[in-house]
Amino acid sequence: FFFKQKTAYEIAQRLVGSEMCIRDRQKDLLETTLNCTENLTVQMRLTDEVEKSAWASEGLPNDELSIQNGILTTRAVRFPYCIDPQMQAVRWIKVKEASNGLDLLSFKKPGYSNKLLGAIQYGKPVLFEAVDEQLDPLIDPILDKSYTIEAGQKLFRVGEQEIYWVDTFKLYMTTIIANPKLTPETMNRTIVINFNVTMQGLKEQLLNEVVAFERPELEQERKKLISQTSENKKKLKVQEDTLLKGLTNTTGPLFNNLQL
């Protein structure tokens, strides 16, 4: 529902409207005897603390707008076009997708199409940095996801050739233009996400830069703690899921189940 819109602004408007509806309904429920979750937000249904902690360890700021941008980047149906003058999204995506074999491409370099098709076929992420306001029409079929399904396999036609479309393929595009004048075709084929730094995010980044310059050992310790916190939350989530699954599937007295 949320991600069929074409721009991050439209999605943000819908998120705000949804938050208002939730608050209004929550007031009605609190006046009755029905139980309901307090301080419920749309973000709580789209991500969790484990994922947000992982994003923070990868370099994404922890302010509300950055979390929303992270949700849009990872959950949107269409491929993201990130307005990123401070290169915040670029740094985050490079760390996030490094272990998945991220390919860095440019529309200005010849031969990029072969690498892009290879990424589609092998399910690898691709990042186009510093793109212009107008995209290369060559990638229009890719942005439209114009594949066909035959015998349960997704096939993407390139001229006379057909290649497999692997679902793990991801395409990211970023621009350093602060206020790009995008064409209707680009707006229609991508989801435009504004990664301009907020005042709160700027304060955090400036503080980190000052600490890194004045006390580099403290900055290293901070990064280490963020990484450890992320790993601990992942382990806790795995243990919780394992315990719940065990409690659901167990039969007989619990004390007979040594694993639980």
Side-chain angles (χ1 to χ4, degrees):
F1 171 75
F2 298 111
F3 304 112
K4 292 181 180 179
Q5 302 304 309
K6 304 304 187 294
T7 67
Y9 175 77
E10 292 172 335
I11 294 175
Q13 292 294 98
R14 288 183 173 269
L15 287 173
V16 171
S18 299
E19 300 284 0
M20 294 174 63
C21 290
I22 290 174
R23 287 196 294 269
D24 291 341
R25 292 297 300 163
Q26 192 174 47
K27 291 179 181 178
D28 296 336
L29 292 174
L30 290 174
E31 294 175 358
T32 67
T33 58
L34 297 175
N35 294 326
C36 66
T37 303
E38 295 184 5
N39 301 321
L40 179 65
T41 63
V42 176
Q43 294 182 41
M44 293 172 58
R45 308 301 302 174
L46 299 177
T47 186
D48 54 34
E49 291 300 323
V50 175
E51 186 172 43
K52 289 191 288 186
S53 179
W55 290 346
S57 67
E58 293 161 352
L60 184 69
N62 204 30
D63 59 277
E64 184 177 358
L65 181 60
S66 295
I67 296 300
Q68 292 179 2
N69 287 340
I71 293 173
L72 296 177
T73 304
T74 57
R75 301 286 193 276
V77 174
R78 299 186 182 275
F79 294 120
Y81 180 104
C82 303
I83 301 173
D84 188 33
Q86 290 84 24
M87 301 186 70
Q88 177 176 278
V90 168
R91 291 192 293 269
W92 172 53
I93 292 170
K94 285 182 177 179
V95 177
K96 181 179 183 299
E97 299 290 358
S99 60
N100 298 323
L102 177 68
D103 282 335
L104 303 177
L105 303 180
S106 172
F107 292 123
K108 299 177 181 178
K109 293 183 179 180
Y112 79 86
S113 58
N114 292 331
K115 294 183 179 180
L116 181 58
L117 295 177
I120 295 174
Q121 192 170 7
Y122 295 104
K124 297 173 60 178
V126 170
L127 170 62
F128 285 93
E129 293 185 67
V131 300
D132 296 327
E133 296 173 326
Q134 292 187 350
L135 302 179
D136 191 334
L138 184 65
I139 71 166
D140 287 350
I142 298 175
L143 296 179
D144 293 336
K145 300 183 180 180
S146 301
Y147 53 74
T148 59
I149 300 178
E150 297 181 11
Q153 297 288 338
K154 295 180 180 179
L155 297 177
F156 183 73
R157 181 176 293 276
V158 184
E160 299 298 325
Q161 180 186 6
E162 282 188 341
I163 63 172
Y164 288 107
W165 181 291
V166 181
D167 287 334
T168 53
F169 165 70
K170 299 176 184 177
L171 173 60
Y172 303 95
M173 294 166 286
T174 65
T175 179
I176 59 175
I177 304 173
N179 188 24
K181 295 179 175 60
L182 302 177
T183 63
E185 291 77 15
T186 300
M187 298 286 288
N188 183 59
R189 289 190 168 100
T190 66
I191 175 169
V192 182
I193 307 175
N194 191 350
F195 269 87
N196 274 298
V197 177
T198 62
M199 185 60 67
Q200 179 62 32
L202 182 60
K203 288 180 180 178
E204 294 179 1
Q205 292 182 36
L206 288 175
L207 178 60
N208 294 338
E209 291 295 330
V210 172
V211 172
F213 180 78
E214 297 289 343
R215 300 287 299 276
E217 70 280 2
L218 291 181
E219 178 65 11
Q220 290 296 327
E221 185 67 19
R222 184 187 71 87
K223 292 181 178 179
K224 182 179 178 181
L225 289 175
I226 291 176
S227 178
Q228 289 178 346
T229 300
S230 176
E231 288 299 321
N232 290 336
K233 287 185 177 180
K234 288 180 182 178
K235 292 179 181 179
L236 179 61
K237 179 65 175 176
V238 170
Q239 294 297 329
E240 289 176 347
D241 292 342
T242 302
L243 180 60
L244 290 174
K245 183 178 180 181
L247 291 173
T248 302
N249 297 330
T250 189
T251 57
L254 289 178
F255 55 81
N256 289 338
N257 191 323
L258 297 180
Q259 184 177 3
L260 286 178

